[in-house]
Amino acid sequence: MTTKKITLNSDKRKVIADQFQSFYEDKVKDKLVQAKEQYDLMREKAKEMIEKVVRFHQPQYDVDTIRSMVKKYNSAGGELYNDNCFYLQNPTTKVDDEGREYIDNQEIHVRFNMGRNFARAYYRDEMKAKGLNPDFQLSIQDDYSKRNPKYYNDESAVNKFLGFSTSSNDDKSIITPVAKWEEDFKLWVIGTSYCHSRQFKVDDKAMEFFKMYNQSADNVIKEHQEMYSYVEGKMQKVRLGLKSYRHFDQAKALADKVGVVLNETMLNESSSLALSIYSPDNLASLLEDKEVLTRDQKIAIARQQMQQTIN
């Protein structure tokens, strides 16, 4: 059957590009999903472990005593703070080059609130569904000279959705991700709001676990970065091809060869460039991938590794 000769314009090319974008994101987004699942598992275990650490050094009885003293003597009775930020130390005896022993205070910062890079990665799907751009920071590749009005608009919209930017006019019934995470887990600790003023000592095993917990959060950020890099690498080629295609049937030929679902009904009714210098055959070959594990295989491996880590 002969495909109808539909002339492409910028709007139609964007519709087609979005189809390719979704196709390539679907191919690799399982890695980000898997990283989030692993972090969620680690987070629940970390909550249990950090509470044991804090209560070992600051028993609930002491916390209750200070609370009663504050009630009686106000600030003179002591200080308590409901915190989700903790500094841990693992003092280890080491020997220097001259044979002298010294204490190496290994330190790690454990937090249960949410940083901006992590938030954009963790809530990427939710933001995409609302037409926001959670990839705006990655798109400039650390070249801040590339920041333009669209970058700042995307940044503002994303920060508002996540809750990093708030105003008195915001709907108070909407709980933002930042607020949700801020209240998800906190412990009453003795001291001020300054997190680094409290350093809890832990043994080697606990220190290694909390390092893995922090790494699981970093992996969510890493998988977001790698997914963006992979998809953008494909889309740069796709956009070049689409820019040079004059008719829909050229884009359809490429989509069929790559495996992207594309038909005329996906195009807008709203509304041309030189003939293609990228043939569908050549461009399709540039977009080929090596065989990868299925989603179920990846998740099974991750869960097995997670169980080994916890045990």
Side-chain angles (χ1 to χ4, degrees), residues 53-232:
V53 168
V54 172
R55 289 294 160 254
F56 175 79
H57 292 284
Q58 297 183 353
Q60 186 64 44
Y61 174 81
D62 291 349
V63 173
D64 293 341
T65 297
I66 292 179
R67 181 174 285 113
S68 64
M69 294 290 286
V70 170
K71 186 176 181 181
K72 186 174 183 179
Y73 299 107
N74 297 316
S75 59
E79 290 184 292
L80 292 176
Y81 186 72
N82 205 17
D83 209 352
N84 53 20
C85 161
F86 311 93
Y87 275 88
L88 307 181
Q89 274 190 347
N90 176 226
T92 304
T93 301
K94 294 186 177 181
V95 180
D96 63 20
D97 295 338
E98 297 181 1
R100 293 174 298 191
E101 291 186 350
Y102 67 96
I103 301 298
D104 178 19
N105 283 315
Q106 298 184 62
E107 186 176 279
I108 186 171
H109 181 197
V110 179
R111 55 190 288 185
F112 292 90
N113 55 2
M114 188 168 52
R116 293 174 188 256
N117 290 339
F118 180 89
R120 290 193 294 267
Y122 195 93
Y123 285 96
R124 184 179 188 275
D125 285 347
E126 290 84 347
M127 288 187 281
K128 292 279 286 186
K130 290 184 174 295
L132 305 179
N133 177 19
D135 305 330
F136 71 89
Q137 180 69 34
L138 299 176
S139 67
I140 65 172
Q141 299 178 326
D142 294 327
D143 183 354
Y144 289 97
S145 67
K146 294 181 179 178
R147 291 178 294 182
N148 54 28
K150 183 181 184 308
Y151 173 96
Y152 290 111
N153 289 338
D154 288 341
E155 179 183 40
S156 177
V158 165
N159 285 342
K160 184 173 180 59
F161 170 84
L162 292 172
F164 289 111
S165 297
T166 59
S167 73
S168 58
N169 296 324
D170 291 341
D171 185 346
K172 300 302 186 292
S173 66
I174 298 176
I175 301 176
T176 65
V178 167
K180 176 182 176 182
W181 282 61
E182 187 67 30
E183 298 301 322
D184 172 64
F185 178 76
K186 287 185 176 181
L187 292 174
W188 283 103
V189 294
I190 299 170
T192 68
S193 61
Y194 185 46
C195 180
H196 201 266
S197 66
R198 295 178 296 278
Q199 296 176 343
F200 301 98
K201 291 183 180 180
V202 296
D203 60 20
D204 293 345
K205 185 176 180 180
M207 178 62 79
E208 287 306 309
F209 171 80
F210 285 112
K211 285 181 180 178
M212 287 189 287
Y213 166 69
N214 281 356
Q215 185 60 53
S216 71
D218 291 340
N219 284 342
V220 174
I221 298 171
K222 179 179 73 71
E223 292 300 342
H224 179 207
Q225 293 170 337
E226 292 188 354
M227 181 176 77
Y228 175 82
S229 179
Y230 167 83
V231 174
E232 181 60 19

Side-chain angles (χ1 to χ4, degrees), residues 2 15 27 31 61 65 77 115 128 220 234 254:
T2 303
V15 172
K27 294 187 72 172
K31 291 183 179 180
Y61 174 81
T65 297
K128 292 279 286 186
V220 174
K234 299 293 184 182
L254 172 63

Side-chain angles (χ1 to χ4, degrees), residues 38-46 209 212-213 216 306:
Q38 187 166 7
Y39 170 79
D40 289 342
L41 290 172
M42 293 288 286
R43 180 181 176 86
E44 292 308 308
K45 183 66 175 178
F209 171 80
M212 287 189 287
Y213 166 69
S216 71
M306 180 65 216

Side-chain angles (χ1 to χ4, degrees), residues 6 15 248 252 261-269:
I6 299 176
V15 172
F248 173 75
K252 182 68 167 69
V261 176
L262 185 65
N263 55 62
E264 297 175 14
T265 60
M266 296 174 179
L267 299 181
N268 293 329
E269 292 301 324

